[in-house]
Amino acid sequence: MVQSVFSALTLGYRPLWSRARRLVGIQLFVHEDPGCNADMGHFLRSLDEIWSQQAPPLLISAQSRQVLCNLLEHAPQGSPWIEVRGDWLQQDEGIYELVQKAKARGLMLVWGGSLADVPDADAARCFASSLLSLPPEGANGIANVVRSATGKLEAAAKVEEAGFFTDQSLSLLGGQMYQGLQSLELARACLDVHDAAGVAGWPVADTIQAFRLQQPQPSRDVLFRLMKAIDKEQSLDVMEEILSSDPVLAYRFLLYTNSAALGLRRGVDSLRRGLVMLGLGTLERWLADQLPHACSEPDLVPLRTQTVLRARLAEQLIEAGVSLELQREMYLCSLFSQLDLLLHEPVANILRRTPLNERIFNAIVTRTGPYAAVLQMSQALESSDAAPIRQLREQEEWDTEEINRLLLRMLSELKLGMPQAQGA
């Protein structure tokens, strides 16, 4: 039996965010496991079979020179975009030759590296875009400029004067992408002022800090979509999916269904049970009460969406053959795992207000119990670091191919701008 290429690789991912703070692409990190020689032609063919037409575009980021060379040599026209690290390109003439041949075959290549080290004009012609890191001095300078700016036009003028985003430094083809941004101000500058094609990852810690004084509220967009689904008398599955696409709304819903005001005889420990017991009329009135103070802040969308991506992955990773109810419980466990970031208080205090199963509390708070490893793996896969993924795989005796296929299945089921429920 021929071994699958997915048995020889460790995959991870990172979302790419658009100016609208919506999902615009997926960066897929590809590591070759020690002692393996992965057939990257087979990998690309298998990826093409898995990836759906509606899924976000893929940017493949090889984590070794050998994997990159194999990709450049074997990728046919129409393959996903491939990142080429600038330092490897500069140090290895063989990679430069492969890049030229790949470009001639019609491959879409992305130059990756520091804004201070962009390639010369001849090399730049090989690339359709670039994934840029900002040098520390440039990042600090831009942050200071944006911080003092009072408007978008003023910010743009000052940034250009500072010389960090000159036409010369962005001489690669249009549609630049940025990565490693630790500051929300930098993300705003790249997306709002300089029309970046995307930002890889999101400055979560700085975003939380920026909104720490604001009262946490559910998403206005999700509220409207759920009310629209009720008006259209859509299925319970659709309503549950929309409700579960916002961790704050889902948490508030559980608090409400378990409140003394409703007087339900037994505790509601799942969104689906709450929807059934509440009734559409009561649900619609409750949603209307949430609207006046709902959140429409775009900078919080990536954080909420990443939480949903993690929950969808955790739902896939739970042991095959478990009941649908346990899968939903695993989803809720992951969805609520970062409520402390959104609600600005310890997660243990947050979870104690609901009658959720003890398995959820233990996985999130004490990192023990049957859900703990799944939750940790869904978090580990959000990174370019293969070490935690491999350690968990070995510790839990997970099959490498199965983990990779489950990850790709989850990503391939996403749509641009998600979260979005089917039919909503």
Side-chain angles (χ1 to χ4, degrees):
M1 181 177 178
V2 179
Q3 187 182 35
S4 168
V5 67
F6 293 126
S7 298
L9 299 172
T10 297
L11 304 179
Y13 78 101
R14 180 165 62 173
L16 294 165
W17 305 106
S18 70
R19 185 174 184 177
R21 281 39 167 193
R22 298 287 178 172
L23 193 66
V24 73
I26 296 292
Q27 185 178 14
L28 187 68
F29 303 109
V30 181
H31 304 260
E32 195 171 52
D33 285 344
C36 294
N37 185 17
D39 182 344
M40 299 314 294
H42 180 202
F43 169 73
L44 291 170
R45 291 190 297 273
S46 301
L47 193 60
D48 184 59
E49 292 174 1
I50 294 171
W51 211 251
S52 72
Q53 294 274 337
Q54 294 76 31
L58 262 183
L59 169 63
I60 298 179
S61 294
Q63 299 301 294
S64 70
R65 295 191 191 202
Q66 185 59 46
V67 170
L68 174 61
C69 289
N70 286 341
L71 284 169
L72 292 173
E73 187 173 357
H74 298 292
Q77 186 177 15
S79 295
W81 291 37
I82 298 173
E83 180 192 2
V84 178
R85 280 179 45 173
D87 55 343
W88 293 351
L89 184 70
Q90 189 174 25
Q91 297 163 7
D92 193 328
E93 289 186 7
I95 291 180
Y96 186 52
E97 291 176 6
L98 288 172
V99 162
Q100 290 176 310
K101 292 177 181 177
K103 167 66 174 176
R105 294 201 311 276
L107 262 64
M108 302 295 283
L109 304 179
V110 174
W111 184 91
S114 171
L115 182 64
D117 300 320
V118 291
D120 58 34
D122 287 339
R125 292 190 186 98
C126 294
F127 298 97
S129 186
S130 55
L131 181 61
L132 302 172
S133 304
L134 300 179
E137 63 277 11
N140 293 334
I142 293 169
N144 291 333
V145 169
V146 176
R147 192 175 295 115
S148 64
T150 57
K152 188 178 292 185
L153 292 178
E154 183 181 352
K158 288 186 177 182
V159 172
E160 291 292 345
E161 289 171 10
F164 299 114
F165 282 83
T166 64
D167 289 338
Q168 182 178 1
S169 66
L170 287 182
S171 58
L172 299 181
L173 299 175
Q176 313 306 312
M177 296 176 284
Y178 294 85
Q179 64 177 339
L181 304 180
Q182 300 301 311
S183 159
L184 179 58
E185 289 173 315
L186 283 179
R188 288 170 173 169
C190 291
L191 291 169
D192 300 335
V193 180
H194 294 280
D195 296 323
V199 165
W202 192 255
V204 171
D206 200 51
T207 300
I208 296 302
Q209 180 69 12
F211 291 96
R212 70 191 185 283
L213 300 180
Q214 291 191 18
Q215 180 68 26
Q217 299 291 348
S219 162
R220 181 180 298 274
D221 175 59
V222 175
L223 284 168
F224 275 128
R225 286 196 283 120
L226 188 49
M227 295 175 79
K228 184 179 177 182
I230 295 172
D231 288 340
K232 289 185 173 182
E233 298 182 347
Q234 292 191 306
S235 70
L236 192 63
D237 287 340
V238 169
M239 293 183 193
E240 182 183 15
E241 186 176 350
I242 299 173
L243 178 59
S244 65
S245 69
D246 181 353
V248 175
L249 183 63
Y251 176 70
R252 279 198 179 180
F253 176 77
L254 280 183
L255 290 184
Y256 177 65
T257 54
N258 287 285
S259 65
L262 286 182
L264 298 178
R265 292 183 179 180
R266 53 177 294 192
V268 175
D269 60 358
S270 75
L271 301 181
R272 193 175 190 86
R273 188 172 292 120
L275 288 170
V276 171
M277 298 184 72
L278 200 60
L280 296 184
T282 305
L283 174 62
E284 195 165 22
R285 288 191 293 274
W286 178 75
L287 293 172
D289 290 341
Q290 309 303 307
L291 268 179
H293 305 290
C295 176
S296 56
E297 175 53 61
D299 288 331
L300 290 173
V301 172
L303 176 56
R304 296 174 191 258
T305 306
Q306 182 64 61
T307 303
V308 172
L309 263 60
R310 179 184 295 181
R312 289 188 176 188
L313 183 54
E315 186 180 36
Q316 296 268 9
L317 291 171
I318 193 71
E319 185 179 354
V322 301
S323 69
L324 188 59
E325 187 173 349
L326 284 180
Q327 282 189 304
R328 290 192 178 113
E329 190 171 275
M330 185 68 248
Y331 181 99
L332 206 59
C333 175
S334 184
L335 189 73
F336 287 172
S337 65
Q338 290 186 299
L339 275 176
D340 55 330
L341 301 182
L342 293 165
L343 301 182
H344 316 308
E345 62 174 307
V347 72
N349 296 348
I350 295 169
L351 296 178
R352 286 193 181 102
R353 301 190 190 109
T354 70
L356 290 172
N357 192 291
E358 189 177 357
R359 291 187 290 262
I360 295 179
F361 184 92
N362 289 341
I364 297 174
V365 178
T366 66
R367 300 173 70 87
T368 59
Y371 293 163
V374 173
L375 188 60
Q376 291 167 34
M377 179 61 88
S378 66
Q379 296 168 355
L381 288 166
E382 297 172 5
S383 169
S384 61
D385 187 358
I389 301 172
R390 289 168 176 162
Q391 182 179 351
L392 272 169
R393 257 186 358 218
E394 183 177 349
Q395 173 186 311
E396 301 298 322
E397 298 182 345
W398 272 323
D399 181 73
T400 300
E401 178 179 356
E402 183 179 13
I403 293 290
N404 288 331
R405 286 191 178 277
L406 290 173
L407 172 62
L408 292 174
R409 182 193 304 166
M410 185 279 288
L411 294 174
S412 71
E413 291 172 352
L414 301 178
K415 294 184 179 180
L416 288 173
M418 65 83 56
Q420 183 71 269
Q422 297 289 339

